[in-house]
Amino acid sequence: MTVKIESQIASEEIVIEMNGVNKWFGDFHVLKDINLSVTKGERIVICGPSGSGKSTLIRCINHLEQHQEGIINVNGTLLNESSKNITQIRREVGMVFQQFNLFPHMTILDNLCFAPVWARNMPRAEAEEIALRYLDRVGISEQKDKYPGQLSGGQQQRVAIARSLCMSPSIMLFDEPTSALDPEMIKEVLDVMIELAGTGMTMLCVTHEMSFARSVADRVIFMDEGEIVEENTPDAFFDNPRVDRTQQFLSQIL
Ligand code: ADP
Ligand code: MG
């Protein structure tokens, strides 16, 4: 029995719109005609076999990968070649990766203050205040003067989430945030994500953590071979997958 976290914000405001998005790596058609609308406060879980295009899909949203066809609009800003638009979109979108990507030579506190100070011109004292608030929220404040290598994987991933939140994003993308973690550390990271979901953050999470999907997601999207094959509410998706490929995938992971 899972406890469902209710959406805090019942909204029809669309904050991410992907329309007819196609992408190729050379000859390889990695994203095929992707249509996806995400409303404010919505929590989406994306799953699917390795190589199906999940990372590429979410990386296109903040232009870490470039799509070649179709329209991507984030919070009213069209993602095109304009560096002004790309910068604007990156202000809105935070991302957490499987490998935590912390700066190894900086303390935890410096990791969190770096972008606000250098990219946003925030006074150091203000950046520290915000950083400490988020470190506290993810339960790491007593580790602030350590270096990433001195922390466990689960702690590093919580720091990575806090670091992203310091830039006050309105949308958070997670790309398999628990896949590199030992099993005993997965829960501490999922708990932080669940807490974040409770604040009304718009979240797109690539993950195979099905308990997380069931308790947090408003919608589960299944990708295979570059296509969105099926999408549904978590309960319908897991209990009653409609498409053969989804059934096959679920039988492997559940
Ligand atoms: P997933 O996250 O679902 O495992 P990815 O989006 O990482 O899938 O990759 C989808 C496909 O695109 C895979 O076949 C992968 O090998 C290929 N791919 C990913 N990145 C690149 C790249 N930079 N150049 C060429 N092929 C890539
Ligand atoms: Mg991936």
Side-chain angles (χ1 to χ4, degrees), residues 11 36 44 46 57 65 69-70 75 79 112 114 173 199 227:
S11 170
L36 176 64
I44 294 183
I46 302 171
L57 172 69
E65 296 288 355
E69 272 182 14
N75 261 353
L79 181 53
L112 267 68
F114 183 79
L173 309 175
T199 68
E227 292 175 306

Side-chain angles (χ1 to χ4, degrees), residues 4 33 44 67-68 165 217 228 233 242 249:
K4 180 85 191 162
D33 212 14
I44 294 183
H67 67 290
Q68 284 116 1
L165 293 175
I228 293 179
T233 59
R242 290 179 297 223
F249 172 76

Side-chain angles (χ1 to χ4, degrees), residues 1-14:
M1 168 80 185
T2 48
V3 180
K4 180 85 191 162
I5 303 198
E6 293 306 326
S7 277
Q8 303 270 313
I9 301 170
S11 170
E12 293 306 311
E13 183 188 337
I14 292 173

Side-chain angles (χ1 to χ4, degrees), residues 23-32 51-53 56 68 225-226:
K23 174 171 178 59
W24 290 261
F25 285 120
D27 293 339
F28 179 63
H29 197 177
V30 61
L31 294 179
K32 299 173 183 162
S52 56
T56 306
Q68 284 116 1
E225 298 184 358

